């Protein structure tokens, strides 16, 4: 999987896009959209929500494109925007209230169907398992573990993004690792998935 | 664990460039409409607030006006309205701490300005109309003082400086008249 931070566009394409060339802007969209959506989708979980934040993130990208000075790859800047949108959403009171309601339903056996619905259909069973494992994490833990393990954020960068301490980042990563290991270690009678 | 997470297949973009543009325009339209409604709602709220404030002031004025019998038949200025407000200490033209022009010659403080500086500080309760007039005049005088200082520093045309000084003198005179009227009204209460 190509990380967003590794994606860049040619200087000429960027210049044309900054000048307002729609075709160049479409090229940029094609270059960054899949990785951006992947990042957002992995952090927030729900697809519909990820689409919403994806739209917001790329709209912010195009609104600020004229000021982009190419001091880093374009993908790094897009990643910053996308992560910021995700974290703002996770911190919003509305989202916290919504999550409280969902957690209240977590004990319900039918919530397994909810977890399954959060996963994108994957060709391999293992991928589906990883998806479900990620979905079982709290939104904060999911965001932290993804940023740390996949996007390569350091603990300091994660702490800065969340407005917390480095200890927060380390403890979130440790807890997420523990929970994910519980999904993948061999289990006896415990089912890893339920029929839908 | 990191290897497993990185091995997840990437997501495909949810929609193409054309759809992205369409959704962007739709959001912009919704935001524009919402902003207009918010602005309209704020304007209505502000207007309603102003109407209520004027009604309250009028009612308070009616309740506060003493009858002719109470004051022996003499006309008394009605209380326009009292507003409890914090009035931070304001520097008055002519007062010892008032900024003077460092670049120019020492300007003689006029008798009017000396009288203004001798007035007591504004009480916490001030009349709305007169208070606003006094503040406005003091602000304008301070602004002209800044212009005079800047004009002297930049060696502006003497005619221009003279015109500003004339305007300042007129405003100081107006301020003195308003303060004198306030003093008379306060004495009559």
């Amino acid at each position: 999987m190509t990380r967003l931070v590794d994606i860049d566009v040619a200087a000429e394409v960027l210049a044309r896009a900054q000048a307002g060339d729609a075709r160049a802007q479409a090229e940029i969209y094609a270059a960054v959209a899949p990785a951006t959506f992947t990042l957002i989708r992995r952090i927030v979980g729900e697809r519909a929500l990820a689409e919403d934040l994806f739209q917001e993130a790329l709209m912010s990208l195009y609104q600020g494109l004229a000021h982009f000075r190419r001091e880093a790859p374009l993908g790094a800047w897009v990643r910053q925007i996308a992560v910021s949108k995700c974290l703002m959403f996770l911190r919003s009171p509305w989202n916290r209230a919504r999550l409280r309601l969902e957690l209240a339903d977590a004990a319900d056996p039918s919530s397994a169907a909810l977890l399954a619905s959060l996963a994108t259909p994957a060709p391999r069973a293992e991928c589906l398992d990883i998806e479900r494992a990620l979905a079982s994490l709290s939104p904060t833990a999911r965001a932290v573990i993804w940023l740390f393990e996949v996007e390569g954020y350091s603990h300091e960068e994660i702490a800065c993004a969340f407005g917390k301490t480095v200890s927060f980042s380390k403890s979130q990563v440790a807890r997420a690792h523990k929970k994910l290991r519980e999904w993948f270690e061999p289990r006896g009678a415990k089912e890893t998935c339920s029929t839908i | 664990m990191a290897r497993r997470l990185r091995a997840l297949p990437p997501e495909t973009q949810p929609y193409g460039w054309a759809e992205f543009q369409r959704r962007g325009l739709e959001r912009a339209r919704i935001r524009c409409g919402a902003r207009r409604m918010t602005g309209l709602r704020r304007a209505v709220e502000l207007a309603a607030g102003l109407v209520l404030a004027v009604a309250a002031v009028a009612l308070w004025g009616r309740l506060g006006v003493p009858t002719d019998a109470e004051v022996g038949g003499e006309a008394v200025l009605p209380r326009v309205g009292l507003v409890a407000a914090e009035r931070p200490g304001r520097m008055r033209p002519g007062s010892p701490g008032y900024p003077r022009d460092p670049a120019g010659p020492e300007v003689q403080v006029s008798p009017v300005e000396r009288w203004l500086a001798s007035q007591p500080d504004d009480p916490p309760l001030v009349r709305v109309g007169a208070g606003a007039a006094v503040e406005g005049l003091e602000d304008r005088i301070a602004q002209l003082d800044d212009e005079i200082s800047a004009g002297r520093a930049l060696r502006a045309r003497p005619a221009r400086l003279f015109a500003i000084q004339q305007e300042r003198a007129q405003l100081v005179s107006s301020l003195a008249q308003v303060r004198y009227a306030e003093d008379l009204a306060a004495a009559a209460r």
Side-chain angles (χ1 to χ4, degrees):
Chain A
M1 170 171 36
T2 308
R3 294 192 310 169
L4 194 49
V5 71
D6 299 324
I7 295 173
D8 202 0
V9 294
E12 182 255 336
V13 171
L14 182 63
R16 281 194 292 122
Q18 286 173 324
D21 182 357
R23 195 172 289 183
Q25 289 173 352
E27 281 182 49
I28 288 177
Y29 180 87
V32 304
T36 305
F37 184 69
T38 300
L39 169 64
I40 295 173
R41 167 76 176 72
R42 296 295 175 213
I43 289 177
V44 301
E46 293 175 38
R47 192 177 178 86
L49 186 54
E51 283 187 19
D52 207 39
L53 292 172
F54 166 78
Q55 180 74 26
E56 292 281 339
L58 289 196
M59 280 174 66
S60 295
L61 162 69
Y62 285 102
Q63 279 160 13
L65 193 62
H67 306 292
F68 179 64
R69 288 191 300 270
R70 234 188 132 78
E71 288 162 356
L74 180 67
W77 185 46
V78 178
R79 183 179 76 168
Q80 201 177 342
I81 296 172
V83 168
S84 172
K85 294 285 180 193
C86 291
L87 295 187
M88 276 169 56
F89 171 77
L90 292 178
R91 281 199 286 259
S92 75
W94 177 81
N95 180 55
R96 284 202 290 269
R98 190 179 66 95
L99 284 171
R100 271 199 296 275
L101 287 172
E102 286 179 3
L103 282 171
D105 294 337
D108 188 345
S110 64
S111 68
L114 171 68
L115 288 178
S117 73
L118 296 178
T120 305
R124 294 182 297 153
E126 189 189 349
C127 292
L128 189 58
D129 231 8
I130 300 169
E131 294 263 9
R132 288 178 174 173
L134 274 177
S136 71
L137 297 175
S138 70
T140 302
R142 188 167 55 232
V144 170
I145 196 70
W146 190 264
L147 292 175
F148 183 75
E149 296 288 8
V150 180
E151 295 297 326
Y153 274 55
S154 65
H155 287 300
E156 288 75 20
E157 286 169 327
I158 292 171
C160 185
F162 278 83
K164 307 257 186 180
T165 61
V166 169
S167 309
F168 159 83
S169 173
K170 289 179 178 172
S171 66
Q172 287 290 328
V173 168
R175 268 188 240 150
H177 273 156
K178 181 168 177 273
K179 201 153 184 187
L180 291 174
R181 266 197 299 275
E182 286 168 4
W183 269 87
F184 295 109
E185 69 186 5
R187 269 175 285 238
K190 194 174 177 181
E191 288 186 285
T192 55
C193 62
S194 56
T195 53
I196 300 166
Chain B
M1 190 56 58
R3 185 189 53 78
R4 279 181 159 138
L5 290 175
R6 286 188 209 121
L8 281 171
E11 301 274 345
T12 52
Q13 67 203 43
Y15 38 78
W17 171 245
E19 177 65 13
F20 169 75
Q21 285 184 301
R22 189 196 67 78
R23 291 188 184 207
L25 285 171
E26 197 178 312
R27 282 182 190 224
R29 240 193 317 270
I30 291 168
R31 278 182 193 150
C32 192
R35 224 175 285 141
R36 216 175 291 132
M37 282 308 297
T38 307
L40 185 64
R41 191 168 41 238
R42 279 201 190 129
V44 167
E45 285 169 1
L46 188 61
L50 278 172
V51 167
L52 281 172
V54 168
V57 163
L59 187 64
W60 200 335
R62 276 182 162 270
L63 291 174
V65 172
T67 62
D68 283 352
E70 288 170 17
V71 295
E74 291 181 14
V76 174
L77 287 175
R79 292 179 189 178
V80 176
L82 294 175
V83 174
E86 282 189 359
R87 296 281 301 275
R90 294 177 70 85
M91 289 257 185
R92 293 203 186 77
S95 60
Y98 194 79
R100 307 301 302 170
D101 172 25
E106 191 59 37
V107 175
Q108 290 290 333
V109 178
S110 69
V112 173
E113 287 185 75
R114 272 201 294 276
W115 177 81
L116 280 170
S118 69
Q119 294 303 294
D121 283 338
D122 295 322
L125 289 175
V126 299
R127 291 171 182 274
V128 171
V134 165
E135 282 193 29
L137 285 168
E138 286 176 348
D139 286 345
R140 181 64 185 144
I141 291 168
Q143 195 179 344
L144 290 175
D145 283 338
D146 287 342
E147 284 184 37
I148 292 169
S149 300
R152 285 193 179 133
L154 297 170
R155 300 186 190 284
R157 287 184 296 121
R160 169 77 184 135
L161 278 178
F162 181 72
I164 299 173
Q165 282 162 344
Q166 287 289 91
E167 186 185 347
R168 185 185 182 281
Q170 284 170 4
L171 289 174
V172 166
S173 172
S174 301
L175 178 60
Q177 288 172 29
V178 171
R179 291 302 306 271
Y180 186 62
E182 271 195 313
D183 287 349
L184 286 179
R189 281 202 293 274

